[in-house]
Amino acid sequence: MKRIAAALAFCLLPFALPAIAQDTYPSRSITMIVPFAPGGSTDAIGRIVSEGLRQVLGQTVVVENRAGAGGSIGTAAIADAPPDGYTIGIGTASTLAINPATYKNLTFDVHEDVVPIGGIADVPNIMSVNKSVPAADIAALVELCRANPGMLSYASAGNGSVSHLLGEQFRLATGSDIVHVPYRGAGPALTEVVGGQVEILFDNLPTSLPFVLDGRLRPLAVSGASRVPALPEVPTFAEAGLEDMNWMAFFGLVAPKGTPEPIIRKLGDALGQALALPAIRERLVAQQAIVTASPPEAFKAQIEQNLDLMRRAAAAANIHLE
């Protein structure tokens, strides 16, 4: 009888392990990989969320910046990490939608190698110009570009970035002959446009907003279902007749494939609780983020929807990166 009981217990062991893991997890600090350099929107949002998770889970969440290749290096590190819940990462529109749509030789598959924990927030994009550019709106800028083919340039945070895709969408939708100037990050791109070396900038709103508010950049359009409260006079891309550009950057949490489902659920619940903390929510809103706090299923659907959109945009612009 004891032998039968022992055999039965052995057979049930795989089913018991997730419950045990859920009961004891987390018992030590968690690493959150941010696949971009310090100082940008992804890093800011990651650090805010890490503090919220620390408060909810009672364990330190250490932010580790692993920048490079438009976020692909950091995302590959997330995919390759042990699937035990102690390494998670930030997933973005760049890493989960644009990179798979534009890079030929990624070492990971967003459908196969990472799993969604939950959505954090959406952030509007913005199109702006140097204050010396004689264009007060998109229609005037298009007219200027057509009158001066190949003479105006737009800066992006790099090949395959959100700003690159937006720039190419604008070029194709308006027939504007403008030159792409890629930089290594949003910061250098912003600096060059503010300094007048490049005329046009596509960017996440949080990075550009201080320069818009102090008059060093002139905003032409933002993305989103409605106008941004901080810039009530600036139309959305949809209002400006560029519906396909009216998408927002998204941010969420992901984990390596194989992470036990109970741990994914616990992390998803913790993320929701963290995003409900007033201090955490206020800090995200200060970053111009629209908090989504979506569950894994909804975040997965958002990734797939954006991946389809970016594949169509990349194909139309013939963007193929190594």
Side-chain angles (χ1 to χ4, degrees):
M1 192 70 178
K2 288 183 180 178
R3 190 173 299 172
I4 295 174
L8 182 60
F10 180 79
C11 292
L12 292 175
L13 184 58
F15 299 96
L17 283 175
I20 294 170
Q22 186 181 28
D23 289 342
T24 61
Y25 174 86
S27 59
R28 54 185 171 88
S29 64
I30 298 169
T31 296
M32 177 192 288
I33 295 177
V34 172
F36 293 95
S41 298
T42 308
D43 180 64
I45 287 173
R47 291 179 186 278
I48 294 169
V49 170
S50 71
E51 172 58 22
L53 290 175
R54 182 196 66 76
Q55 293 182 39
V56 173
L57 293 172
Q59 293 287 349
T60 301
V61 179
V62 180
V63 172
E64 181 181 322
N65 295 91
R66 298 283 291 273
S72 295
I73 290 175
T75 306
I78 298 167
D80 292 340
D84 56 8
Y86 289 99
T87 300
I88 59 177
I90 298 290
T92 71
S94 289
T95 63
L96 301 180
I98 294 176
N99 288 351
T102 56
Y103 280 89
K104 294 180 180 179
N105 301 313
L106 288 180
T107 59
F108 61 90
D109 186 316
V110 297
H111 291 296
E112 297 294 332
D113 299 326
V114 296
V115 293
I117 293 170
I120 297 170
D122 295 338
V123 171
N125 300 309
I126 184 169
M127 178 184 185
S128 58
V129 294
N130 177 274
K131 62 182 181 180
S132 66
V133 175
D137 54 33
I138 283 183
L141 179 64
V142 171
E143 185 177 342
L144 183 65
C145 291
R146 290 175 177 172
N148 299 276
M151 298 301 292
L152 277 72
S153 302
Y154 78 88
S156 82
N159 288 317
S161 63
V162 166
S163 46
H164 182 196
L165 262 291
L166 283 167
E168 289 305 290
Q169 283 186 300
F170 175 79
R171 183 179 65 80
L172 291 172
T174 62
S176 299
D177 183 2
I178 54 177
V179 179
H180 175 216
V181 184
Y183 290 89
R184 298 188 66 177
L190 179 61
T191 298
E192 292 294 281
V193 176
V194 169
Q197 285 76 25
V198 183
E199 293 81 15
I200 306 166
L201 178 67
F202 298 91
D203 192 14
N204 288 148
L205 178 62
T207 315
S208 288
L209 185 60
F211 298 88
V212 170
L213 294 178
D214 70 12
R216 285 184 283 175
L217 289 175
R218 183 183 304 119
L220 301 186
V222 295
S223 63
S226 59
R227 296 189 180 192
V228 172
L231 301 171
E233 302 303 316
V234 180
T236 66
F237 282 107
E239 290 176 313
L242 298 170
E243 179 68 43
D244 286 348
M245 295 179 64
N246 206 43
W247 50 274
M248 293 194 287
F250 67 80
F251 301 83
L253 277 186
V254 295
K257 184 179 181 181
T259 303
E261 182 62 27
I263 289 180
I264 294 293
R265 285 201 303 271
K266 188 163 188 177
L267 283 167
D269 290 344
L271 177 62
Q273 293 174 48
L275 296 175
L277 295 171
I280 297 300
R281 201 174 189 91
E282 287 171 11
R283 289 173 64 189
L284 287 170
V285 170
Q287 290 289 323
Q288 306 305 312
I290 300 167
V291 178
T292 54
S294 56
E297 297 77 13
F299 185 41
K300 181 179 180 180
Q302 183 178 26
I303 294 168
E304 292 176 348
Q305 180 182 12
N306 277 265
L307 179 56
D308 180 64
L309 173 65
M310 292 303 106
R311 279 176 173 155
R312 287 188 278 111
N318 196 29
I319 300 175
H320 301 289
L321 306 174
E322 297 295 334

